[in-house]
Amino acid sequence: MSLLEVAGLTTAFKTRRGEITAIEDVSFTLAERQILGIVGESGSGKSVTALTIMGLLPNPPARIASGEVRFDGTVLTRLSDARMQKIRGSGIAMVFQEPMTSLNPVFTIGEQLMETLRAHERLSPKAQRERAIEMLTRVGIPSAALRLGDYPHQLSGGQRQRVMIAIALACRPRLLIADEPTTALDVTVQAQILDLLLDLRDEFGMAIIIITHNMGVIAQTADRVLVMYAGRIVEEARIGALFDRPLHPYTRGLLECVPSLEQDKARLAAIPGTLPDPASRPRGCRYAPRCALRIEACTAAIPALLGIQGEHAAACIRATPS
Amino acid sequence: MSALIEATALEKHFAFGEGRLLSRRSGRLRAVDGVSLRIAHGETLGLVGESGCGKSTLGRLLIRLIEPTAGAIFFEGEEITRRPTKALREKRRAMQIIFQDPYGALNPRMRVEDIIMEPLLIHGAKSDGPTRQKVSEMLNLVGLPRHARDRFPHEFSGGQRQRIGIARALVLRPKLVVCDEPVSALDVSVQAQIVNLLQDLQGELRLTYLFIAHDLSVVKHISNRVAVMYLGKIVEVAEKRELYAKPLHPYTQALIAAVPVAHPGNRASARAARARVSGDVPSALHPPAGCRFHTRCPYVMTICRAEEPKITEPRAGHEVACHLVGSS
Amino acid sequence: MTPSESKIEAQELGHEEAPTQRRRPFLVTIGRLLHHRLFLTGLCLFGVIVLAAAFAPLLAPEDPNRLAMRLKFLPPSAEHPFGTDNFGRSQWSRVIYGAQLSIAIGLAVVALNAVFGTLIGALAGYFRRLDNPVMRVNDALMAFPAIFLALGITAVLGPSTIDVVIALAVAYIPRTARIVRASVIVLREMEYVQAAVAAGAGHWRILRHHILPNAMAPLVVQLSFLFAYAVLSEATLSFLGLGAVPPTPTWGNIMAQGRQYMTEAPWIITVPGVALMITVLGLNLLGDGLRDVLDPRLRVQQ
């Protein structure tokens, strides 16, 4: 059985310009220990997907218009706030992009780590301290016992993100959601944090959803990938298949438009046009206005996400098995 | 090749102090600390480094947006380091800048036409037909429709705003353009458009670029030569193929190894390559003594902790500041 | 690919579906204000007072200073809507003419603040060298409460309306300057300002085109609150006998007078009190509305 099942999830926001759907009909499953990458640009809905799963979107303005999230057999979208609170942390934990604002500046990192432990487990103060030190050591904070009394501002950006990961993993969640965990970090630190996440998955055996706009981060970490565009999943595949045989023209565009260190290109294959405004999305396939393969039928209806080759699915009427 | 712009021993220190009345505790942030570089006519020099390494400060120093603490800047052979603002105005035409944040770079209360026209007005043009014609030409050049003129910045997407910023920078027909992370705030699918545009414009208008970025792949794509900065110093400069194929400084090696792989198949090998450099960039307020990279360097020797390495040129056109290279 | 293709990349699909708002930012702001309920309430409350002051001769044909001892202490009636005071003067006329003075003083204080506060704040914020000296003097002035400053000035010049304006202006200009300075310091570092410097723009041009227009939003908000403080302070001062000299009617001196007859003729003190309350409440709602709409950091999604 899958650890996480998301079925037909649609989340809408009330805005000045009426109700806008941030994500539409998002469905996927995640197995234990698996790393799922969700890749997309701004407005793709990748972060809203994560926040909806976590039940962290304020209502209003956000509202789950349809669909459900099932975690380990429990339907999260129907849980009370109090029960959802229990799941967050011990069942599902989350790491955010900006490690400075995710930590409370007036408490030491030790206090914040132990508070999370206390909220979910009964431990003596001494045991809490030991666990905190153990976690900090595990995420790569040197001389952890001495750093427990440090305030967030005394740490570098990379160390703060390590502390955030330690807090997220303190109660051994079965699923970790990392929303752009390395976007605010420098390249050398980004590599360290991604390696750390991979190691922790092997050690703790949790599943990870990693959300990013960077195909490189996906290539580095994910087992399976969802590609999102303008609120919908446009392609779903195992990592190797996605990079070797991308089916959706958008995925191909994303892979081709970035320069790579390994090969020189005289010119980048840019995707023309701009990302659609969520309030006025194009009719039919949302990528159609920017797509080189567009035909008239593309704008008639939103294409369904269909399995093309085994587990490899794409929402494109022009995608065919190669 | 003659240099369009050249800097020698350039320094920029920011003084910071707290509680000036009671305790005179103050320090200096050496954002740029003794940098020499030259950019030839028509070339693109890439400048890479992590946050806080001083790359943006260096870019702004070169075009005199901020005043250097020490050192000299020569533009087309003329020293412009201490030239007073008024006398600098003519030179300013030839040196422009493109910013990272497409939102903060455009005055929200000005129409696009006024934004692009402003540099012309500053340099004595009248707000009349020919000037407006020039604005239309610029819009066309950067790929924006004519009717963009009458709109306000908030009506455009990030990529389109960046095009407006480029039009403003190029309307004076500069020779040197400092591109300060021009694509890092943009969506991936839009980045390539702007990179291509910058390349096209370079060809059409014979521009010279200083291209500042933290993304090594983009820098490699667009540059002729690449300089690597670490904590206020340039640690390595070389022609791009040379630099990426045979990086000499351990920091450059670490940076290249840290770039995420382009294909999942290379995961394991990439990881093995980068396993040795650890830790974060130290604070620029208290940079390590000796070689600034010694705290993270896998090959650190005693001399690295004590003595700052001098720039050497082990191969023609390939400069590096590292004791490993100096001693061999 | 040919060089021109990078242009087509943008244009091609360009912006046929043009963004919905094709309007000047100014008009967008006005539109938002007109949809802001609290702002509209404030506008109505304050508008009533302003209109009353503007059309005082029409609304209150009776001379506010005409004595008629036989008519004293008349309660509100059709003939004297707000009753009469201890000298038989029409309260209706006195309160309406009092509004004139309140609004005039408020406007004068706001205008002085807008000019000098902006000037001082802009100079201190823009020219780093001026910042420290100017702001220290500013801080010293801020340490004086408006009332004490007014007491001091009145002691020197004798009580008059001008004193009140000077006292309030001197007391509040430093605060306004501080607010302007704060936004100028932020704006000075904006990249569009840097771009103007790079293009060779002079200080005057940068201040006029790039900094001041963008510093206006917090200033306008501040000035609307300041208007309320000025009206309130003027009332306080004239209540204490420091403002305009009787018989000139001001809300403050009417209330001071009415205090003695609170039991026999409660309307004398109540009516100007209510007028004062309406003005201050109206201006505060107006200010809150402006802040919601103009200051994005505090904007609440509705």
Side-chain angles (χ1 to χ4, degrees):
Chain A
M1 197 191 66
S2 323
L3 179 65
L4 181 75
E5 277 175 63
V6 176
L9 200 61
T10 300
T11 304
F13 284 82
K14 274 207 189 76
T15 71
R16 277 212 186 89
R17 294 188 277 171
E19 204 173 60
I20 290 173
T21 52
I23 54 171
E24 280 176 25
D25 198 18
V26 168
S27 306
F28 63 89
T29 60
L30 177 64
E32 305 252 10
R33 305 178 68 92
Q34 200 171 47
I35 300 186
L36 176 74
I38 303 184
V39 67
E41 298 178 275
S42 55
S44 65
K46 57 191 190 300
S47 289
V48 173
T49 305
L51 293 170
T52 309
I53 294 170
M54 288 295 285
L56 284 176
L57 287 173
N59 177 10
R63 175 177 77 89
I64 297 176
S66 66
E68 63 172 36
V69 177
R70 193 181 284 267
F71 174 73
D72 200 19
T74 318
V75 180
L76 297 187
T77 35
R78 270 190 244 132
L79 283 189
S80 66
D81 282 353
R83 289 198 50 207
M84 195 61 216
Q85 188 88 47
K86 276 222 135 52
I87 302 251
R88 279 196 292 263
S90 58
I92 312 179
M94 190 157 176
V95 176
F96 296 92
Q97 172 174 345
E98 191 34 76
M100 191 66 223
T101 49
S102 318
L103 286 166
N104 187 335
V106 302
F107 292 105
T108 64
I109 57 169
E111 285 163 344
Q112 298 186 54
L113 190 47
M114 287 185 269
E115 190 202 334
T116 315
L117 287 170
R118 262 199 306 277
H120 298 279
E121 269 179 84
R122 284 188 159 216
L123 287 172
S124 69
K126 189 158 172 274
Q128 281 173 24
R129 203 182 133 78
E130 275 164 14
R131 269 286 279 286
I133 293 172
E134 179 198 325
M135 287 310 300
L136 286 181
T137 311
R138 183 58 206 89
V139 297
I141 302 270
S143 40
L146 299 174
R147 306 312 293 270
L148 277 183
D150 279 0
Y151 288 90
H153 71 91
Q154 293 171 290
L155 307 176
S156 69
Q159 284 175 329
R160 275 184 225 127
Q161 198 57 296
R162 288 175 195 272
V163 171
M164 282 310 298
I165 293 173
I167 291 177
L169 298 187
C171 296
R172 309 282 155 99
R174 297 176 65 196
L175 169 62
L176 175 70
I177 302 181
D179 187 0
E180 302 266 13
T182 58
T183 306
L185 304 177
D186 283 317
V187 206
T188 51
V189 183
Q190 161 167 297
Q192 296 167 18
I193 297 288
L194 294 180
D195 288 345
L196 174 66
L197 285 176
L198 288 175
D199 292 347
L200 291 172
R201 186 266 305 254
D202 293 343
E203 194 176 324
F204 293 87
M206 77 264 182
I208 299 179
I209 296 180
I210 190 156
I211 293 167
T212 178
H213 65 277
N214 185 334
M215 272 291 189
V217 169
I218 294 285
Q220 195 112 333
T221 52
D223 302 322
R224 264 173 66 230
V225 188
L226 301 178
V227 182
M228 292 188 74
Y229 186 79
R232 302 185 70 95
I233 297 175
V234 295
E235 184 157 359
E236 175 180 2
R238 298 210 143 262
I239 181 85
L242 189 89
F243 279 81
D244 292 334
R245 294 177 301 280
L247 290 173
H248 199 283
Y250 174 62
T251 313
R252 281 205 289 270
L254 269 190
L255 288 170
E256 281 163 16
C257 75
V258 291
S260 95
L261 281 187
E262 283 127 64
Q263 67 191 103
D264 289 334
K265 303 173 184 171
R267 202 181 161 80
L268 300 178
I271 302 177
T274 54
L275 293 157
D277 178 352
S280 56
R281 288 177 177 145
R283 262 166 48 83
C285 170
R286 266 126 202 212
Y287 185 64
R290 305 176 73 186
C291 183
L293 300 178
R294 173 185 64 236
I295 53 173
E296 214 162 289
C298 292
T299 50
I302 296 178
L305 184 68
L306 294 175
I308 309 275
Q309 278 172 318
E311 288 175 71
H312 197 159
C316 176
I317 54 172
R318 312 240 18 217
T320 44
S322 48
Chain B
M1 261 197 300
S2 63
L4 175 66
I5 192 160
E6 186 166 1
T8 51
L10 209 53
E11 289 182 16
K12 177 66 190 181
H13 300 177
F14 293 102
F16 64 93
E18 285 159 310
R20 241 172 251 169
L21 267 179
L22 299 174
S23 65
R24 280 190 167 263
R25 208 153 44 87
S26 64
R28 316 205 107 217
L29 167 65
R30 294 159 186 275
V32 172
D33 200 12
V35 164
S36 300
L37 60 80
R38 45 189 285 150
I39 310 176
H41 276 284
E43 82 164 336
T44 299
L45 177 70
L47 184 59
V48 292
E50 295 176 285
S51 56
C53 73
K55 55 189 190 300
S56 277
T57 307
L58 178 57
R60 281 156 212 238
L61 277 177
L62 285 182
I63 61 166
R64 285 278 314 267
L65 262 185
I66 46 181
E67 301 301 320
T69 310
I73 306 160
F74 300 87
F75 187 77
E76 296 184 305
E78 274 179 72
E79 175 157 8
I80 58 163
T81 330
R82 308 265 163 233
R83 191 171 285 200
T85 324
K86 279 225 174 71
L88 192 65
R89 186 167 292 178
E90 263 320 293
K91 287 284 164 213
R92 290 235 188 259
R93 294 186 77 117
M95 312 181 288
Q96 289 296 310
I97 180 164
I98 298 166
F99 297 98
Q100 167 176 9
D101 172 17
Y103 292 85
L106 306 176
N107 186 340
R109 293 187 184 269
M110 284 167 78
R111 290 181 317 126
V112 168
E113 180 171 65
D114 297 325
I115 290 172
I116 299 175
M117 202 193 293
E118 187 179 29
L120 294 171
L121 299 183
I122 291 168
H123 288 272
K126 295 265 173 309
S127 172
D128 55 9
T131 311
R132 294 166 62 96
Q133 182 55 33
K134 262 195 190 151
V135 172
S136 296
E137 283 166 24
M138 286 314 300
L139 283 173
N140 181 41
L141 197 63
V142 299
L144 286 172
R146 255 177 86 87
H147 57 80
R149 286 195 309 196
D150 305 318
R151 306 234 178 132
F152 286 89
H154 71 100
E155 301 177 57
F156 294 90
S157 69
Q160 290 169 321
R161 281 162 185 253
Q162 202 55 293
R163 288 173 194 265
I164 299 169
I166 293 172
R168 171 182 59 195
L170 298 187
V171 73
L172 289 172
R173 302 291 156 142
K175 293 173 178 160
L176 173 72
V177 180
V178 172
C179 308
D180 188 4
E181 303 254 15
V183 298
S184 33
L186 303 178
D187 274 305
V188 186
S189 73
V190 180
Q191 283 185 9
Q193 293 176 12
I194 300 296
V195 168
N196 286 349
L197 176 67
L198 287 172
Q199 283 185 312
D200 292 344
L201 292 170
Q202 181 168 39
E204 276 175 63
L205 306 175
R206 314 204 344 188
L207 300 169
T208 303
Y209 287 147
L210 175 68
F211 193 95
I212 302 169
H214 65 271
D215 182 329
L216 275 88
S217 323
V218 173
V219 167
K220 185 187 178 206
H221 175 77
I222 201 165
S223 309
N224 303 110
R225 286 190 306 137
V226 177
V228 181
M229 255 185 115
Y230 188 75
L231 288 176
K233 301 229 172 236
I234 288 187
V235 297
E236 187 162 8
V237 194
E239 194 275 325
K240 75 167 168 195
R241 278 194 192 80
E242 164 97 8
L243 187 95
Y244 284 83
K246 301 183 197 107
L248 292 174
H249 199 284
Y251 178 60
T252 315
Q253 294 166 2
L255 268 185
I256 294 173
V259 173
V261 294
H263 193 282
N266 306 337
R267 245 182 231 180
S269 57
R271 180 159 189 179
R274 69 169 167 265
R276 282 169 299 184
V277 171
S278 61
D280 286 6
V281 185
S283 158
L285 293 179
H286 311 286
C291 172
R292 291 181 180 189
F293 188 59
H294 83 249
T295 50
R296 302 171 72 194
C297 183
Y299 313 111
V300 59
M301 307 176 289
T302 325
I303 188 173
C304 303
R305 297 197 177 90
E307 207 176 298
E308 202 174 303
K310 294 206 170 42
I311 299 237
T312 54
E313 195 171 345
R315 278 194 285 268
H318 193 153
E319 294 173 28
V320 62
C322 178
H323 289 300
L324 283 171
V325 180
S327 57
S328 63
Chain C
M1 270 212 191
T2 63
S4 55
E5 255 175 86
S6 62
K7 291 166 204 166
I8 299 163
E9 277 157 11
Q11 218 161 18
E12 194 179 9
L13 321 147
H15 253 48
E16 287 121 44
E17 352 92 53
T20 40
Q21 312 172 329
R22 270 220 57 186
R23 294 177 296 164
R24 305 182 127 261
F26 176 71
L27 294 177
V28 174
T29 306
I30 298 285
R32 290 216 182 112
L33 281 174
L34 292 180
H35 283 99
H36 194 287
R37 236 174 266 162
L38 285 180
F39 175 83
L40 288 178
T41 313
L43 192 67
C44 290
L45 291 177
F46 184 54
V48 167
I49 305 289
V50 170
L51 288 177
F55 298 107
L58 287 176
L59 292 170
E62 208 170 317
D63 181 353
N65 292 331
R66 197 193 62 179
L67 303 181
M69 294 308 284
R70 66 194 160 82
L71 297 176
K72 67 177 181 184
F73 297 135
L74 290 182
S77 65
E79 201 188 341
H80 300 285
F82 292 163
T84 61
D85 67 1
N86 50 328
F87 295 113
R89 295 174 296 197
S90 160
Q91 272 283 95
W92 170 254
S93 293
R94 289 186 68 76
V95 169
I96 286 184
Y97 277 93
Q100 243 179 3
L101 193 79
S102 288
I103 300 292
I105 287 178
L107 274 181
V109 173
V110 163
L112 286 171
N113 265 274
V115 174
F116 292 102
T118 306
L119 193 72
I120 297 170
L123 293 180
Y126 186 73
F127 297 104
R128 283 159 211 250
R129 279 186 201 166
L130 285 179
D131 194 12
N132 239 322
V134 170
M135 289 325 279
R136 292 301 79 78
V137 174
N138 210 44
D139 289 348
L141 281 175
M142 267 170 86
F144 286 105
I147 300 289
F148 287 123
L149 213 57
L151 281 169
I153 292 173
T154 316
V156 178
L157 299 178
S160 81
T161 317
I162 301 295
D163 290 356
V164 177
V165 173
I166 295 176
L168 294 179
V170 171
Y172 287 111
I173 283 173
R175 285 156 231 262
T176 310
R178 203 155 251 292
I179 286 175
V180 174
R181 170 183 168 269
S183 16
V184 171
I185 283 179
V186 173
L187 293 167
R188 184 179 70 190
E189 305 300 329
M190 291 302 285
E191 291 186 335
Y192 55 81
V193 173
Q194 308 264 306
V197 175
H203 297 310
W204 172 238
R205 183 181 189 93
I206 289 172
L207 275 169
R208 212 172 82 86
H209 286 266
H210 297 293
I211 291 190
L212 290 180
N214 288 296
M216 283 301 117
L219 178 65
V220 168
V221 174
Q222 159 77 359
L223 290 180
S224 65
F225 291 124
L226 180 63
F227 205 128
Y229 295 141
V231 169
L232 204 54
S233 307
E234 184 276 330
T236 313
L237 288 171
S238 57
F239 184 83
L240 296 173
L242 291 172
V245 194
T248 311
T250 74
W251 291 345
N253 68 26
I254 300 172
M255 284 161 83
Q257 213 172 54
R259 195 172 54 109
Q260 301 166 43
Y261 312 106
M262 209 135 75
T263 43
E264 306 100 288
W267 56 88
I268 302 181
I269 194 166
T270 315
V271 175
V274 170
L276 187 62
M277 195 193 80
I278 291 175
T279 314
V280 173
L281 179 67
L283 280 165
N284 274 298
L285 292 177
L286 214 71
D288 280 342
L290 284 168
R291 189 176 50 199
D292 285 354
V293 172
L294 294 177
D295 201 334
R297 280 164 304 171
L298 301 166
R299 191 176 292 162
V300 200
Q301 198 79 34
Q302 293 174 350

